């Protein structure tokens, strides 16, 4: 039984992927340097018979932050509890987790940039000295008790490292940034995960799925699940290159990995806003979406693959975007028949 299940009253709220998630670092693909550094820290802590230092992971969604938080406790052979930053509204929300810690346990806080200031400050002494102040009673009868905690490792994950305050960031002894995966790494993940899902896949098909998965394992898993469903419902259950291509085409995921939302964004920018510059609010209003969705979920990938640029006057579609959508000259192209 994996140790995290010991805390069965604290299921990981993030884990929508238990079947595909590696549980040991040796099963993880890519992130070699990060894994190497973590192995050294883990080995040294074990040799010293000491608790592992607090670790902060930052990087875009779906790259393995939560996966590390599953693997590290398994390597240390300690239990883990998973908390979501947004659910920690006041210090009292953190108290049960801190006072019930087992020695050397891991506490994982996802989206740690979203905890309020008061919770963050409460964490300072917990992280640094393994103690907290507990206020017991109300009003005149309130008493402060200084409580010593069991030594523990805090693992924080954030998609927005810049939003973390300096004092919190500095309390993490180990800080790791997770980067995007290469096509070869992602192809390997697709092949391994197809086996875990008990579906046969050939290598060109795995490569095709990987190449449309934005260098992100979570996206690759989602695409693979869809292609598996398609193969089982429309073909003989085997994922060949043709099956993968047809499935992805049906889901309207193109060769660059763009999905319907991305294409709608580009259509709005190119056709409605004449290629830009256009502000996020303008594009969002036309798309009937929120500017936050655009900024957090759609634009990072379009910026990364250079289909748009951000200028002081707004977003601009690049020549690559026009070429990809066939809207170079008259800007009719792709959209004229859609
Ligand atoms: P994050 O917490 O950064 O949003 P996750 O750790 O939840 O991302 O990763 C999403 C999924 O991608 C995992 O469930 C796992 O299946 C897969 N994954 C992530 N990183 C790796 C890796 N290095 N090797 C293999 N699979 C991975």
């Amino acid at each position: 039984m994996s140790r995290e299940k010991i805390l069965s009253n604290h299921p990981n709220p993030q884990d929508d992927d238990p079947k595909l998630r590696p549980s040991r670092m040796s099963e993880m693909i890519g992130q070699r340097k990060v894994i190497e550094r973590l192995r050294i820290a883990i080995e040294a802590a074990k040799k010293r018979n000491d608790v592992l230092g607090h670790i902060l992971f930052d990087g875009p969604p779906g790259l393995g932050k939560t996966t590390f938080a599953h693997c590290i406790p398994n390597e240390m052979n300690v239990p883990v509890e998973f908390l979501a930053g947004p659910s920690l509204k006041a210090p009292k929300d953190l108290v049960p987790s801190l006072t019930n810690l087992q020695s050397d346990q891991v506490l994982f806080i996802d989206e740690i940039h979203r905890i309020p200031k008061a919770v963050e400050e409460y964490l300072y002494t917990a992280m640094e000295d393994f103690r907290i102040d507990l206020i017991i009673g109300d009003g005149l009868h309130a008493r402060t008790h200084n409580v010593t905690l069991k030594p523990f490792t805090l693992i924080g994950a954030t998609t927005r490292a810049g939003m973390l305050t300096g004092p919190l960031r500095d309390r993490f002894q180990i800080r790791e940034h997770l980067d995007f995966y290469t096509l070869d790494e992602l192809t390997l993940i697709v092949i391994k995960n197809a086996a875990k899902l008990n579906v046969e896949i050939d290598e060109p098909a795995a490569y095709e799925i990987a190449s449309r998965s934005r260098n992100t394992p979570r996206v690759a898993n989602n695409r693979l699940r869809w292609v598996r469903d398609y193969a089982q419902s429309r073909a003989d259950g085997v994922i060949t290159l043709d099956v993968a291509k047809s499935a992805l085409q049906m889901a309207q995921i193109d060769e660059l990995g763009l999905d319907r939302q991305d294409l709608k964004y580009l259509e709005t920018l190119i056709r409605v806003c004449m290629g830009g510059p256009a502000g996020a609010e303008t594009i969002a209003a036309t798309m009937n979406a929120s500017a936050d969705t655009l900024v957090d979920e759609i634009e990072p990938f379009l910026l990364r693959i250079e289909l748009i640029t951000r200028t002081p006057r707004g977003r601009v579609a690049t020549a690559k975007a026009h070429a990809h959508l066939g809207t170079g000259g008259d800007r009719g192209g792709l959209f004229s028949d859609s």
Side-chain angles (χ1 to χ4, degrees):
M1 183 173 91
S2 95
R3 295 294 298 265
E4 78 199 49
K5 290 194 187 120
I6 290 169
L7 296 168
S8 54
N9 53 336
H10 298 291
N12 173 11
Q14 305 302 304
D15 209 0
D16 51 359
D17 228 2
K19 200 166 182 185
L20 302 186
R21 194 188 292 288
S23 57
R24 305 299 300 220
M25 290 203 301
S26 57
E27 294 167 29
M28 292 183 76
I29 313 286
Q31 309 292 356
R32 290 335 302 172
K33 293 244 158 65
V34 177
I35 291 175
E36 214 176 306
R37 284 190 291 266
L38 288 172
R39 279 199 197 289
I40 290 174
I42 290 170
E43 239 178 81
K46 276 185 181 164
K47 269 192 190 153
R48 288 195 309 267
N49 224 352
D50 200 359
V51 64
L52 180 66
H54 305 303
I55 309 172
L56 179 68
F57 289 109
D58 82 86
L63 293 191
K65 298 182 291 298
T66 313
T67 303
F68 272 113
H70 279 262
C71 295
I72 292 168
N74 284 337
E75 306 291 337
M76 296 291 292
N77 203 24
V78 296
V80 53
E81 181 179 0
F82 292 87
L83 298 172
S87 70
L88 301 172
K89 297 196 165 39
K92 70 174 171 38
D93 298 327
L94 205 52
V95 169
S97 304
L98 291 174
T99 50
N100 289 323
L101 284 167
Q102 298 177 35
S103 215
D104 298 339
Q105 190 192 312
V106 171
L107 195 60
F108 175 65
I109 303 183
D110 200 12
E111 295 187 82
I112 196 164
H113 59 277
R114 291 180 62 187
I115 60 173
K117 188 101 192 105
V119 177
E120 177 179 324
E121 284 171 357
Y122 202 66
L123 267 178
Y124 291 167
T125 57
M127 289 173 77
E128 216 157 53
D129 307 323
F130 302 126
R131 59 175 182 81
I132 50 170
D133 284 335
L134 266 187
I135 297 168
I136 295 171
D138 275 330
L140 282 178
H141 303 291
R143 297 259 184 285
T144 304
H145 288 266
N146 197 261
V147 177
T148 305
L149 307 173
K150 302 257 172 58
F152 71 103
T153 303
L154 181 71
I155 301 185
T158 177
T159 48
R160 299 263 188 104
M163 278 176 69
L164 242 57
T165 63
L168 181 58
R169 220 178 18 239
D170 292 345
R171 281 174 171 78
F172 288 97
Q173 286 93 351
I174 303 169
R175 281 177 259 168
E176 291 292 354
H177 172 77
L178 299 191
D179 239 321
F180 289 101
Y181 291 67
T182 65
L183 209 44
D184 285 346
E185 288 165 352
L186 218 51
T187 304
L188 200 55
I189 290 176
V190 171
I191 291 172
K192 282 194 160 197
N193 288 351
K196 287 185 190 170
L197 292 172
N198 282 325
V199 58
E200 203 181 310
I201 191 167
D202 62 29
E203 204 177 320
Y207 186 85
E208 186 67 25
I209 295 171
S211 66
R212 298 192 198 201
S213 295
R214 303 161 171 248
N215 308 88
T216 306
R218 179 178 295 136
V219 177
N221 287 349
N222 292 340
R223 307 268 198 258
L224 173 64
R225 282 204 181 88
W226 161 250
V227 176
R228 182 233 8 219
D229 290 350
Y230 182 94
Q232 289 172 349
S233 146
R234 292 286 171 93
D236 59 0
V238 177
I239 305 178
T240 59
L241 180 59
D242 280 348
V243 168
K245 277 187 173 166
S246 309
L248 292 167
Q249 191 183 356
M250 189 168 179
Q252 291 176 281
I253 293 153
D254 77 7
E255 306 78 52
L256 290 182
L258 301 181
D259 62 19
R260 273 165 288 178
Q261 279 276 88
D262 304 316
L263 290 171
K264 196 168 165 195
Y265 178 103
L266 291 174
E267 177 190 356
T268 306
L269 180 59
I270 292 177
R271 190 177 60 77
V272 184
C273 306
M274 309 293 286
E281 295 287 347
T282 309
I283 302 169
T286 311
M287 286 178 68
N288 202 12
S290 78
D292 279 350
T293 308
L294 253 58
V295 172
D296 289 340
E297 292 172 25
I298 303 178
E299 289 184 341
F301 180 58
L302 299 179
L303 284 163
R304 179 156 64 84
I305 62 166
E306 299 174 356
L307 292 180
I308 60 168
T309 55
R310 243 190 235 164
T311 72
R313 291 171 52 224
R315 279 67 172 164
V316 178
T318 62
K320 184 176 170 189
H322 285 289
H324 182 62
L325 299 183
T327 54
D330 59 7
R331 294 188 172 165
L334 177 86
F335 308 127
S336 49
D337 59 355
S338 64

